[in-house]
Amino acid sequence: MKEVHNPALQGGRLTLFRWMGATDSWQNAMVKRGNELLWKVFRYVVVFSLAFVFIYPMLFLVSQSLMRAEDISDATVQWIPKGFSLENFIFAINAMGYWSHLKNSVLMAFGGAFLQLIGCSIAGYGFARYNFPGYRIWISLLLLTFLVPPQSIIVPLFLFFSDLNWRDTYYPFLVPALFGHGLRGSLFVLVFMQTFRGLPHQLEEAARIDGAGAFRTFVSVMLPLARPAILVVFLFSIVWHWNDTFFPDFYLNQDKDYTLNQKLGYLAITNQIDSTGEEAQKSDDAIAQLPTNYQKIMAGALITILPLLILYLFTQRYFVESVERTGIAGD
Amino acid sequence: MKKLRLTVRTRSFVEGYFFISLWIAGFFLFMAVPLGRSIYYSFQELKMNTGRMTAEFVGLEHYRYAFTVDIDFMPILISTIKTVLIQVPLILIFAMFCALLLNKPMRGRLFFRGVYFLPVIVASGNSLKRLTEQGAATLPIFKQYDLYTIMLNYIPEQLLTPLLTMMDSLMIVMWGSGVQIIIFMAGLQSIPVSLYEAAKCDGATPWEVFWKITFPMMMPMILVSTLFTIVDSFTKVDNQMIKYNWTLMFNKLSFGYASAIGWIYFAFVFLVIFIVLFMFRNTSALAQERR
């Protein structure tokens, strides 16, 4: 760190010193600039290549789902198919019954997320702002809920919901969500708790002095301030509900109730069976048949996550900003 | 004066419980009771008879069976735990690396952040499973350029094979680290700039700054994301153990045995979590104090 006290490095004065013939410090400066440039180039290369790794599967998905049967058997086609066709998408939309199952997914994901928002924010506020006897017990139970894998209680829950006749309905997703549980509910309670802890007390006190009750203070003063947390919880909750297949596979066993992700699973299974079945019948056609079905599955996968991608595209900007302000990490 | 303080305390008591009562009710309905029942089931033989469940007490039979008779259980358990223990540190290191990269001001930072969080949207669920089946989850370089045979010239095979399996799961690691990147980035933002300025004045190198300032300050976030990663990877649907449990429940309909297996697995997960908490005991003490 020899150069630190060197005045020649202080920004604009560099050119002045160069003209004054201060060769020694000029060299130092050039070395440092070179290092900085090299470092910058290196960082951009790393960032770009990592970004590529993240985007690569998406590109793969798009490219594969646009391919026609001819393109797959064509060895010259690697990424960009020679003709444009949406046949795979049309097939997938029809085979999956896309629109009706999209409705199911939206109902489950948005409904679950919305109710989770209500339940978790209320509980999070209680944990953040009040100190009552038994507080320590409840907060440790909250942490326990966060750590218990849902798989270890799925059998009793399943039997419980069966007793209530809630199988093949969406209640198993919606009701626990309202109580501040459900899919990773305790994580969301913790996020809200962390956010409310970071907010100043004065606003609440002012509201109370003005005569607002506890709940009123919470709804009209504190909740609007927790907007970043609301956005984060809402988005995460939608995404996790949408992509979940574990719980839907338990509770939803009628074709009309399936979510998109479940339907995608069945699309994949049936198409694989079809292709092997045909393989047995006409073996020379099997090679052409097998990959074609994969393109259809890829198209199905793409349209399954498409709503999420669109949602993310619009909220991305706020999302990233609010994550930073939520203090998810906190302490 | 005394009376007033009492009322404030009672009020806080009533209001506090008012806010968390819904959660407490949910806790008993959807967590405590099922948890207790699943312990109870694990000592029972449950049978479905024309839609009705009949139970028969068998004691520790299921546990004995899992460890001594069931030839599938132990290998699956061990390999699951091994995979998770390898993946968790890799995910954390990678997430920290990405967070540090993205934290520096640069052109198109917003775009890159958007891209880096993309896995959070796509990485769970069936879409990723379909992609992995297609081989999109392994990096193409390793296959296409015959890297294996080239590398074999320089690296002994005993070392190369585990290295390449690690590289193979690299994609999974990268795709599993979206949430952790977010947590770390939020953490990096919360470190006061004045600390860095002070270090710079004292002539610290970036390497020293990372280990002496960034790393200690990030300790609570590292704890949070370690716990999250462990819980997340142990409960992922494509986890072997979870799959096995699912098969037991739905294909063989042995609910009692599935519960017992779930509890053994859960015990191991908790053991891992306790070890982690023990390793981080200073951090959690610090967090308690600060509160």
Side-chain angles (χ1 to χ4, degrees):
Chain A
M1 297 305 288
K2 213 171 62 188
E3 314 92 332
V4 165
H5 54 264
N6 194 329
L9 290 176
Q10 307 303 315
R13 266 191 271 172
L14 180 74
T15 32
L16 190 71
F17 269 81
R18 203 196 293 176
W19 287 110
M20 284 164 70
T23 36
D24 188 34
S25 51
W26 179 71
Q27 265 174 357
N28 265 346
M30 285 320 274
V31 167
K32 206 188 166 194
R33 283 226 156 160
N35 274 342
E36 264 171 18
L37 190 73
L38 213 70
W39 188 234
K40 214 173 176 179
V41 168
F42 172 72
R43 222 176 63 215
Y44 271 101
V45 168
V46 173
V47 168
F48 261 106
S49 39
L50 284 178
F52 174 74
V53 172
F54 285 127
I55 289 190
Y56 170 76
M58 292 310 301
L59 294 177
F60 183 84
L61 208 56
V62 173
S63 134
Q64 291 291 306
S65 52
L66 285 174
M67 288 208 186
R68 298 162 303 161
E70 306 94 270
D71 294 316
I72 295 144
S73 42
D74 191 342
T76 56
V77 173
Q78 185 106 36
W79 279 92
I80 301 160
K82 285 196 173 141
F84 181 78
S85 105
L86 292 173
E87 58 181 72
N88 291 323
F89 288 104
I90 292 162
F91 173 84
I93 287 175
N94 288 332
M96 285 166 75
Y98 186 69
W99 301 112
S100 66
H101 293 288
L102 177 72
K103 205 185 70 213
N104 291 344
S105 266
V106 168
L107 178 69
M108 191 192 88
F110 281 73
F114 183 70
L115 293 172
Q116 237 172 6
L117 214 56
I118 297 173
C120 296
S121 63
I122 293 175
Y125 183 70
F127 278 116
R129 276 298 198 248
Y130 289 99
N131 206 344
F132 39 83
Y135 178 85
R136 280 191 165 266
I137 299 168
W138 291 117
I139 196 115
S140 23
L141 287 176
L142 178 67
L143 287 174
L144 180 82
T145 341
F146 172 56
L147 297 178
V148 170
Q151 283 81 4
S152 64
I153 56 164
I154 186 71
V155 179
L157 267 185
F158 175 70
L159 296 175
F160 175 53
F161 290 138
S162 305
D163 285 345
L164 291 172
N165 274 328
W166 281 2
R167 284 179 67 185
D168 302 322
T169 66
Y170 294 95
Y171 293 127
F173 308 98
L174 302 179
V175 176
L178 180 64
F179 281 88
H181 289 261
L183 203 58
R184 301 198 218 207
S186 39
L187 179 70
F188 297 137
V189 174
L190 287 171
V191 168
F192 272 115
M193 188 181 91
Q194 218 48 60
T195 312
F196 284 125
R197 270 200 188 145
L199 294 174
H201 283 272
Q202 287 88 332
L203 289 160
E204 274 164 301
E205 280 157 16
R208 297 307 284 271
I209 288 165
D210 286 350
F215 196 68
R216 176 99 199 263
T217 313
F218 166 68
V219 172
S220 45
V221 178
M222 297 309 277
L223 216 49
L225 289 173
R227 217 175 292 136
I230 290 174
L231 191 68
V232 168
V233 167
F234 193 55
L235 257 182
F236 268 114
S237 184
I238 285 176
V239 167
W240 280 331
H241 273 104
W242 190 280
N243 284 336
D244 186 31
T245 49
F246 181 74
F247 289 106
D249 278 347
F250 270 95
Y251 301 130
L252 306 173
N253 295 308
Q254 302 282 326
D255 185 68
K256 66 176 174 51
D257 298 325
Y258 283 151
T259 64
L260 268 185
N261 252 305
Q262 275 179 296
K263 212 54 198 165
L264 176 63
Y266 287 104
L267 179 77
I269 291 167
T270 45
N271 272 291
Q272 271 153 18
I273 291 168
D274 280 353
S275 59
T276 43
E278 276 166 50
E279 196 176 8
Q281 287 169 4
K282 28 180 183 172
S283 53
D284 39 301
D285 209 33
I287 299 161
Q289 201 63 44
L290 202 75
T292 336
N293 278 329
Y294 274 122
Q295 317 317 315
K296 286 168 185 162
I297 296 167
M298 290 292 111
L302 189 63
I303 55 172
T304 303
I305 51 169
L306 196 65
L308 289 183
L309 287 176
I310 294 170
L311 187 73
Y312 183 60
L313 203 69
F314 285 114
T315 48
Q316 192 252 109
R317 197 190 172 87
Y318 310 99
F319 179 60
V320 176
E321 278 166 11
S322 50
V323 159
E324 282 172 2
R325 268 184 286 149
T326 331
I328 278 188
D331 48 358
Chain B
M1 194 65 193
K2 202 182 171 192
K3 203 180 166 192
L4 187 79
R5 199 141 93 224
L6 198 76
T7 35
V8 168
R9 247 177 97 193
T10 345
R11 213 176 69 182
S12 147
F13 178 83
V14 171
E15 285 177 8
Y17 273 101
F18 165 72
F19 277 110
I20 66 165
S21 58
L22 207 60
W23 184 86
I24 292 176
F27 174 78
F28 281 114
L29 278 176
F30 306 117
M31 180 57 65
V33 174
L35 209 60
R37 274 174 84 177
S38 93
I39 298 177
Y40 172 74
Y41 287 154
S42 72
F43 299 122
Q44 309 275 329
E45 179 67 53
L46 292 176
K47 283 208 181 85
M48 276 282 205
N49 285 331
T50 55
R52 283 193 63 82
M53 197 72 91
T54 51
E56 184 195 333
F57 185 75
V58 290
L60 288 170
E61 182 57 35
H62 287 314
Y63 291 91
R64 197 186 62 81
Y65 183 82
F67 282 113
T68 54
V69 185
D70 192 347
I71 45 165
D72 295 327
F73 173 64
M74 277 315 271
I76 290 177
L77 180 69
I78 290 169
S79 83
T80 308
I81 290 177
K82 223 161 72 183
T83 336
V84 170
L85 289 185
I86 292 169
Q87 274 183 13
V88 168
L90 285 177
I91 287 176
L92 289 173
I93 294 168
F94 178 74
M96 179 64 102
F97 181 71
C98 284
L100 285 171
L101 266 182
L102 288 177
N103 199 42
K104 294 245 166 64
M106 65 188 299
R107 220 175 277 267
R109 188 160 78 144
L110 213 65
F111 166 75
F112 284 120
R113 282 182 187 184
V115 171
Y116 279 51
F117 295 153
L118 203 64
V120 180
I121 309 288
V122 199
S124 48
N126 259 325
S127 303
L128 182 73
K129 216 156 89 197
R130 300 283 91 80
L131 276 169
T132 359
E133 279 168 6
Q134 276 286 283
T138 47
L139 291 174
I141 342 163
F142 294 107
K143 277 185 206 152
Q144 274 175 13
Y145 301 108
D146 212 14
L147 219 63
Y148 183 75
T149 37
I150 301 169
M151 278 162 91
L152 207 58
N153 295 331
Y154 303 101
I155 309 168
E157 203 186 335
Q158 292 91 327
L159 206 74
L160 188 66
T161 321
L163 201 73
L164 278 183
T165 21
M166 242 167 75
M167 292 307 263
D168 239 19
S169 65
L170 195 70
M171 197 76 178
I172 303 290
V173 165
M174 292 168 105
W175 275 66
S177 55
V179 176
Q180 288 82 350
I181 295 177
I182 293 177
I183 294 177
F184 283 148
M185 272 180 51
L188 285 174
Q189 296 283 323
S190 70
I191 300 175
V193 191
S194 54
L195 284 177
Y196 288 112
E197 280 164 1
K200 210 176 165 191
C201 288
D202 288 345
T205 60
W207 181 251
E208 283 170 340
V209 168
F210 176 76
W211 287 109
K212 298 259 161 72
I213 295 176
T214 312
F215 194 69
M217 290 299 284
M218 291 284 282
M219 243 10 198
M221 293 62 150
I222 294 173
L223 175 64
V224 169
S225 40
T226 310
L227 289 180
F228 179 81
T229 318
I230 290 173
V231 173
D232 192 48
S233 25
F234 271 123
T235 57
K236 241 189 262 170
V237 186
D238 52 352
N239 186 317
Q240 277 178 303
M241 195 65 218
I242 301 297
K243 271 187 197 157
Y244 183 59
N245 211 342
W246 209 86
T247 332
L248 279 178
M249 244 182 282
F250 274 83
N251 297 1
K252 299 187 182 151
L253 291 175
S254 44
F255 290 100
Y257 185 51
S259 289
I261 292 247
W263 270 97
I264 298 169
Y265 183 57
F266 186 29
F268 275 99
V269 175
F270 249 53
L271 189 72
V272 173
I273 288 170
F274 270 116
I275 293 169
V276 169
L277 284 177
F278 182 73
M279 279 157 64
F280 279 87
R281 62 196 180 283
N282 292 332
T283 315
S284 28
L286 201 80
Q288 289 277 320
E289 246 170 58
R290 233 193 280 175
R291 200 198 295 160

